[in-house]
Amino acid sequence: MEDEFAFISRISPNETKQHTLICGIGDDAAVYRSSSHMDEVICVDTMVEGVHFRRDTLSPFQIGKKGLAINISDLAAMGAIPAFYLVSIAIPPTWSESELMDIYKGMESVAKPFNMDLIGGDTVSISESLVLTVTVIGRVEQGQAKYRNQAKAGDVLFVTGYVGTSAAGLNLLLEKGLDGDFTEHEKKLITFHQEPSPHVKEGRLLLQATKRVALNDVSDGVASEANELAEASQARIIIDSEKLPIHESMKEFSRTQQLNWALFGGEDFVLIGTIAKERADQIAKQFSEHNARFHVIGFVEEGETGVFLKEGNAIKKLEKHGYNHFQKRG
Amino acid sequence: MEDEFAFISRISPNETKQHTLICGIGDDAAVYRSSSHMDEVICVDTMVEGVHFRRDTLSPFQIGKKGLAINISDLAAMGAIPAFYLVSIAIPPTWSESELMDIYKGMESVAKPFNMDLIGGDTVSISESLVLTVTVIGRVEQGQAKYRNQAKAGDVLFVTGYVGTSAAGLNLLLEKGLDGDFTEHEKKLITFHQEPSPHVKEGRLLLQATKRVALNDVSDGVASEANELAEASQARIIIDSEKLPIHESMKEFSRTQQLNWALFGGEDFVLIGTIAKERADQIAKQFSEHNARFHVIGFVEEGETGVFLKEGNAIKKLEKHGYNHFQKRG
């Protein structure tokens, strides 16, 4: 098994090389040179068959796309430029070689627009579930990486795209299967789930537009990610339920269902963050000029650390994974 | 599961910080700064329960040690200095939290002498086998990384330590189990298997001693690794069976058994390489001064690419995983 698939863990050619890569092909490690004015950003994510994806909701190609996209999304949330990736894959005997190739092709399709090179990896066998671990390396101007701990009272809370769409798509897939009969709206939602687009451009726009921005990506749902911002920044974040951007393809679902997916669904892989209120209009304009979305969905105020959902005049505390207790607006 | 163990994937404190690490704690990615005169070296390895280790041959602590050591060994084979590591682990319900902590402690015990920082990772659940994926980052002086493709006729072939000991130890463990009754010699062999020491010092000595060295680490056995050197360099490598360094603890085993483990056993994690013959004595002296082993075990000559085993006057072609056909010395 290990030799059989070794070739797909090797170096991918890259015509428009913008990253300096010096690599001993065939060796177990890759060597590359950093830019003198950039910091390196690295992260790793693992997807397990049956836990993070199922073969009846994602094709092998889409598994590859998603495996790389969720990692690039982590880079995007730091304001970084993707550069390289490494792929470690544990393969059970139930997967064919062509399915494996499709996983790699899926990753390549995500990597290509970012000129990312596949610079290494490991291929091993496993008895049961496929395990895909992707390591990505990106770069960001020295000292400019964006973190979650920068939220301040007076900020607005924003997201860079629709939320809840991925969860809606997953729900449809679980209901009808990959080959189900779907409406055009439903197909759109399914694509949101199956083929997320990491918001690298949005991260770079924010980095260039403002020095202080608290930033995170929406992998576990708006409630969870906003809570990470609140905890890291010791801030009180208010989400205005009416301002959550809900995609028109979700109009068939009840408002409660829409809100539930938007807040707790996850895997939207848009960015969520906070910036000074007085910068919001200008940044919204810049986003619009670059064909990117910028939705203000709430604000940061003085008070108890946490995330709170404003619905009309009522406000309730929003825990990471659900509504916990109600609280009158102070 | 993912939140429960998240804390162990976080930053480890490092008092004697020799690598510049700027990190947003709690974020999904780590940010670090490279040295301007160094290249970055990265590699990733995955160990699967039941495939690469078994709970009846390694303790959780030793699984951690090995998981990191095999990666550091890849860095050592490039002549690199280890700097950081990231740990992605898929955990089945059969593993307790304290066992998991022991895995991390095992890794920490290997990382500490090298001042390596744990800078990130991912912790996910899986139904069956534990999967441990470690990514390591090292550094090497610009343009100085060592590769496998540098072997030339006239070189000597060397290893930097005993070979076959790990396989002998594994054999004993499979025979008698972790709690078996072992002689002192057997215990030594078992330790070779359970707690390999990556040859970083040896890699650095070679890098500093000579510009041209073909280098690899012995993870899959001398025959396999020598074949990688031969293929990458298009060279003909002769191993002299009488020169293979066999540890005295293996004296109870037959010569055939010793040779079999030395050539095909693997997991010794010493370095194997070739250098110009005229440099060998000086390098052996330097190794000796630094309390390191340097054993010449063969040579490189003109002729058909491949690896050949010399036994007395007979010479046979040595395939990666076994003797394939016999051949008279040309």
Side-chain angles (χ1 to χ4, degrees), chain B residues 184-287:
Chain B
E184 285 311 306
H185 278 317
E186 290 175 335
K187 282 181 192 159
K188 203 157 267 175
L189 295 172
I190 286 167
T191 303
F192 272 110
H193 174 72
Q194 291 178 326
E195 310 195 9
S197 257
H199 280 203
V200 172
K201 178 174 74 178
E202 289 78 356
R204 296 296 296 165
L205 282 171
L206 287 161
L207 179 137
Q208 285 152 11
T210 179
K211 191 151 178 64
R212 185 179 65 78
V213 52
L215 207 54
N216 204 355
D217 69 320
V218 180
S219 49
D220 291 334
V222 165
S224 174
E225 309 300 347
N227 263 291
E228 288 188 347
L229 292 170
E231 282 165 25
S233 305
Q234 292 294 296
R236 174 183 174 89
I237 294 177
I238 314 291
I239 298 174
D240 185 340
S241 67
E242 281 165 27
K243 292 193 176 163
L244 287 164
I246 306 296
H247 195 272
E248 56 163 4
S249 293
M250 284 174 69
K251 66 184 173 190
E252 303 294 328
F253 298 101
S254 73
R255 177 71 187 152
T256 308
Q257 184 62 87
Q258 288 174 7
L259 211 57
N260 196 42
W261 281 328
L263 292 171
F264 308 109
E267 300 212 341
D268 293 307
F269 298 111
V270 301
L271 302 183
I272 183 169
T274 83
I275 49 159
K277 191 182 178 182
E278 50 273 25
R279 308 299 310 274
D281 285 347
Q282 193 199 336
I283 286 172
K285 190 164 164 279
Q286 286 168 333
F287 266 64

Side-chain angles (χ1 to χ4, degrees), chain A residues 26 33 39-40 46 88 148, chain B residues 26 32-33 39 46 88 148:
Chain A
R33 190 161 297 173
D39 284 336
E40 309 282 305
T46 293
S88 196
R148 296 174 189 155
Chain B
Y32 58 94
R33 191 162 295 173
D39 284 336
T46 293
S88 195
R148 296 175 189 152

Side-chain angles (χ1 to χ4, degrees), chain A residues 142-195:
Chain A
Q142 280 193 3
Q144 297 300 305
K146 300 308 169 200
Y147 298 103
R148 296 174 189 155
N149 62 0
Q150 297 294 309
K152 282 186 185 169
D155 282 1
V156 293
L157 177 72
F158 64 85
V159 288
T160 62
Y162 297 108
V163 287
T165 45
S166 174
L170 175 61
N171 188 268
L172 290 164
L173 283 166
L174 291 174
E175 216 172 77
K176 303 190 194 175
L178 268 182
D179 303 320
D181 192 17
F182 298 107
T183 67
E184 286 310 306
H185 278 318
E186 289 174 335
K187 282 181 193 161
K188 202 157 267 178
L189 295 172
I190 287 168
T191 303
F192 272 110
H193 174 72
Q194 291 178 326
E195 310 195 8

Side-chain angles (χ1 to χ4, degrees), chain A residues 2-3 10 22-36 38-49 51-52 74-75 77-78 86-90 119-122 124-131 133 135 137 139-140 142-149 215-217 219-220 225 228 232 320-321, chain B residues 2-3 10 22-36 38-49 51-52 74-75 77-78 86-90 119-122 124-131 133 135 137 139-140 142-149 215-217 219-220 225 228 232 320-321:
Chain A
E2 293 176 30
D3 283 329
R10 296 304 174 205
I22 313 139
C23 194
I25 293 180
D27 289 19
D28 289 328
V31 181
Y32 57 94
R33 190 161 297 173
S34 339
S35 304
S36 59
M38 302 293 266
D39 284 336
E40 309 282 305
V41 187
I42 188 164
C43 58
V44 57
D45 262 303
T46 293
M47 292 197 339
V48 178
E49 181 181 357
V51 178
H52 301 92
D74 284 332
L75 295 182
M78 312 289 285
L86 297 92
V87 179
S88 196
I89 189 164
I119 61 168
D122 197 8
V124 300
S125 52
I126 192 169
S127 60
E128 286 253 317
S129 329
L130 186 136
V131 180
T133 300
T135 304
I137 301 162
R139 277 151 189 184
V140 63
Q142 280 193 3
Q144 297 300 305
K146 300 308 169 200
Y147 298 103
R148 296 174 189 155
N149 62 0
L215 207 54
N216 204 355
D217 70 319
S219 49
D220 291 334
E225 309 301 347
E228 288 188 349
K320 283 192 175 191
H321 302 293
Chain B
E2 293 175 31
D3 283 328
R10 295 305 173 204
I22 313 137
C23 194
I25 293 180
D27 288 18
D28 289 328
V31 181
Y32 58 94
R33 191 162 295 173
S34 340
S35 304
S36 58
M38 303 292 268
D39 284 336
E40 310 282 304
V41 187
I42 188 164
C43 58
V44 59
D45 262 304
T46 293
M47 292 197 339
V48 177
E49 183 181 357
V51 178
H52 301 92
D74 285 332
L75 295 182
M78 313 288 285
L86 298 93
V87 178
S88 195
I89 189 164
I119 60 167
D122 197 8
V124 300
S125 52
I126 190 169
S127 60
E128 286 253 315
S129 328
L130 187 136
V131 180
T133 300
T135 305
I137 301 162
R139 277 149 188 186
V140 64
Q142 280 192 3
Q144 297 300 304
K146 300 308 169 201
Y147 298 102
R148 296 175 189 152
N149 62 0
L215 207 54
N216 204 355
D217 69 320
S219 49
D220 291 334
E225 309 300 347
E228 288 188 347
K320 284 193 173 188
H321 302 291

Side-chain angles (χ1 to χ4, degrees), chain A residues 220-237:
Chain A
D220 291 334
V222 164
S224 175
E225 309 301 347
N227 262 290
E228 288 188 349
L229 291 170
E231 283 165 24
S233 305
Q234 292 294 296
R236 174 183 175 88
I237 294 177

